[in-house]
Each structure stands twice: as structure tokens, then as C-alpha cells.
């Protein structure tokens, strides 16, 4: 990967989740020296601090919770993301729950449109987060972020301007193992590229990630990667409020990030759903930092052994 400058942008939002604690995620990642780790790999790193959510007043349908907090962060992240892209930087958004992607992915999509390109999104997650306000059982907006940036209805007022929606066929969900019934129906109707754990078991990480990267390269597109802690098996990363058994192993996760790095295609990154309150002595935080390092050039055999 070319040594582009990196902007670290914190998003201490947890109103989109069903459990508090993600608000501490950006601080934990900084304590784990994510900036220093990237600097050691030869990247120029600027820490832009945490965004300040804007004041928003709106009401969505269904049973949505904390939509004003979520929208306030989405607007701030959108503006910070657009600013980072305009400066030629690669933004890494430190979360915070997955509702932050309402701002981060739309910023990437706006930049892609301005460059005459399309945007592909690789969603490393146990959940596809493709609910709308009228389909969600929980009302938690971290489960709606992908539906929003793919242009589904029901989200009027989240941002101040119309979005450049991501084509659902360019939305690649990898590692999923928990899908609501109506959510699954919507995913099939929209043609989302869903790769669940059975696909991974049958075809392997390398084959499936390669297929995504080949599609991005074929389209000469930008690639936004969104890495949720619950993509990993809880044994590897317990610090998340939405654990689902049977997730990616340590090696599978690193392989995915190493392949992304080798492709040189990633143009932005989310690190989301880290809940330090639920973690085991920083185990999940270190795992996220290590995976980020793999996404930017470090290999597992180069990594010092860490006793968890």
C-alpha cells in the first residue's frame, strides 16, 4: 500500500447500540497506541481528535432510539470525512458503535462520486445492519447503518444533504451469522453480496475476499472497509455487546486484512463496536490494533508475541 497520510477521527457514539460502553472505544484504541503502530509502519499519522456531534432535532418512524445523537455524529463524521478525503488522506474512524457508518460511508461515497468513481463497501461483521426503522425489532440504529447508506427509505433528516447511495450490489457483507427475517428478505431483494460463515467454511477466506477485491479492481472503485469487533469469534475478542459464536478466528481475520493491504485498494476504514467495559484486560482493543496493522502492511510473522 502506498504510504498515504492517515487521519485518525474519533467517534465516541454509543446511542446507536443497545448497551452503553462504545463511547470509550476511541480512547481505548489511542491508549493501545494505534497511531504509533501506524507510524512505525511508515505512515504519516494525524490524530484529529474526537468529533463533536451536531445538534439535531428529528423523529424517525418505527421504534428508533437516540436518532438525534446518531444523526448528530453522522453529520460531524460526514464533514470530517469529506475534509480528510479532500486533503488526500486516508481516514480511519475510531468507534463508537456501527451507527457511525451513516456518516463515514456517505463521506466516502460523496468523495467517490466527486472523483467519478464508484464505492464498494466491505462489511466485516456478524450482522448486515440492513434494517430500516420500519423493520427493526430493537430500534437500535447500529443495525440500520447499511440500509441508510444504500439508500433505503425512512431516514429523512439524518444528514443535511442528499446522499450518494452505495449500490447494494457493491455492499459486501463478510462473516455474517445473525440476520433478522425481514432484513434477510431485503438483502435478497436488493442483491447484496452476503458471505455468511457457511460460505467461509466451504470456500475459505482467501477465495471470498479475493472475489471482493477483484470486483473493486474491475470497477476501478474506492473501497471502504468497516471492521466490527463481532466479526471475530468472542474467544478472540470478547469486548463487544453483540457477541455471536462461530466468528472469524485470529488467523482468518488477519488473512483478510493482509489481503486487503496487498491489494492496495482500501481508501478508508471503520473500527467499530469496541466496548472496553466488556473487554478482558484490553484483549479486544489489542486485537483491533493488530488487525489494523495487518491492513497497513504488517505480517503476523513480523509481530512480537503478546501474552493475552
Amino acid at each position: 500500500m502506498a504510504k498515504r497520510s492517515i487521519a485518525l477521527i474519533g467517534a465516541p457514539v454509543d446511542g446507536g447500540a443497545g448497551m452503553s460502553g462504545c463511547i470509550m472505544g476511541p480512547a481505548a484504541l489511542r491508549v493501545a497506541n494505534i497511531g504509533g503502530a501506524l507510524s512505525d509502519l511508515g505512515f504519516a499519522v494525524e490524530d484529529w481528535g474526537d468529533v463533536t456531534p451536531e445538534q439535531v432535532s428529528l423523529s424517525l418512524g418505527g421504534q428508533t432510539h437516540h436518532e438525534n445523537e446518531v444523526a448528530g455524529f453522522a453529520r460531524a463524521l460526514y464533514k470530517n470525512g469529506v475534509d480528510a478525503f479532500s486533503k488526500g488522506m486516508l481516514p480511519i474512524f475510531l468507534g463508537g458503535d456501527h451507527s457511525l457508518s451513516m456518516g463515514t460511508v456517505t463521506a466516502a461515497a460523496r468523495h467517490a462520486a466527486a472523483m467519478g468513481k464508484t464505492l464498494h463497501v466491505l462489511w466485516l461483521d456478524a450482522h448486515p445492519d440492513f434494517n430500516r426503522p420500519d423493520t427493526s425489532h430493537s430500534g437500535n440504529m447500529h443495525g440500520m447503518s447499511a440500509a441508510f447508506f444504500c439508500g433505503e427509505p425512512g431516514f429523512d433528516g439524518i444528514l443535511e444533504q442528499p446522499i450518494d447511495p452505495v449500490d447494494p450490489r457493491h455492499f459486501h457483507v463478510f462473516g455474517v451469522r445473525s440476520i433478522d427475517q425481514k432484513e434477510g428478505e431485503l438483502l435478497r431483494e436488493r442483491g447484496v453480496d452476503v458471505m455468511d460463515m457457511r460460505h467461509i467454511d466451504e470456500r475459505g477466506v482467501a477465495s471470498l475476499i479475493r472475489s471482493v477485491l477483484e470486483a473493486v479492481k474491475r470497477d476501478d472503485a474506492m473501497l471502504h472497509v468497516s471492521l466490527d469487533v463481532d466479526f471475530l469469534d468472542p474467544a478472540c475478542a470478547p469486548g463487544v455487546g453483540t457477541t455471536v459464536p462461530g466468528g472469524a478466528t485470529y488467523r482468518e481475520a488477519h488473512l483478510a486484512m493482509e489481503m486487503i493491504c496487498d491489494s492496495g485498494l482500501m481508501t478508508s476504514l471503520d473500527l467499530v463496536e469496541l466496548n472496553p467495559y466488556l473487554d478482558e484486560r484490553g484483549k479486544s482493543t489489542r486485537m483491533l490494533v493488530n488487525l489494523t496493522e495487518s491492513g497497513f502492511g504488517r505480517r503476523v510473522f513480523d509481530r512480537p508475541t503478546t501474552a493475552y
Side-chain angles (χ1 to χ4, degrees), residues 43-244:
F43 292 88
V45 180
E46 294 182 15
D47 191 335
W48 289 15
D50 293 342
V51 300
T52 300
E54 298 187 6
Q55 294 297 312
V56 181
S57 179
L58 70 121
S59 179
L60 301 178
Q63 304 180 54
T64 52
H65 310 305
H66 308 295
E67 55 260 61
N68 290 317
E69 177 187 349
V70 169
F73 272 102
R75 293 184 184 189
L77 287 164
Y78 173 86
K79 291 173 182 176
N80 275 260
V82 168
D83 188 24
F85 284 118
S86 72
K87 291 178 168 64
M89 304 182 78
L90 188 155
I92 300 179
F93 301 96
L94 311 177
D97 71 62
H98 223 154
S99 67
L100 66 84
S101 295
M102 291 183 173
T104 65
V105 176
T106 50
R110 175 56 53 89
H111 181 69
M115 299 293 291
K117 292 179 176 288
T118 57
L119 178 71
H120 285 245
V121 178
L122 176 56
W123 204 253
L124 304 172
D125 199 331
H127 312 84
D129 298 336
F130 211 77
N131 273 304
R132 301 186 308 222
D134 64 337
T135 67
S136 173
H137 294 295
S138 69
N140 295 328
M141 293 191 70
H142 68 169
M144 306 180 195
S145 44
F148 170 72
F149 63 66
C150 284
E152 290 296 319
F155 296 99
D156 292 346
I158 295 291
L159 294 185
E160 298 171 282
Q161 59 282 313
I163 68 170
D164 296 281
V166 174
D167 186 329
R169 295 169 298 178
H170 298 162
F171 178 47
H172 312 276
V173 185
F174 188 82
V176 67
R177 51 199 188 275
S178 178
I179 305 176
D180 296 333
Q181 180 178 347
K182 290 183 178 179
E183 185 181 31
E185 293 170 358
L186 193 59
L187 290 164
R188 286 188 290 273
E189 289 173 8
R190 300 296 187 258
V192 173
D193 182 21
V194 178
M195 294 161 281
D196 61 18
M197 290 308 297
R198 176 168 178 172
H199 283 88
I200 293 173
D201 290 341
E202 290 180 345
R203 292 183 53 191
V205 168
S207 173
L208 293 172
I209 291 291
R210 188 176 296 113
S211 70
V212 173
L213 297 174
E214 287 174 349
V216 177
K217 187 174 182 179
R218 183 172 59 248
D219 290 347
D220 188 27
M222 292 173 56
L223 174 63
H224 180 95
V225 177
S226 200
L227 173 57
D228 188 314
V229 176
D230 71 21
F231 166 63
L232 296 147
D233 191 85
C236 298
V240 61
T242 51
T243 54
V244 183

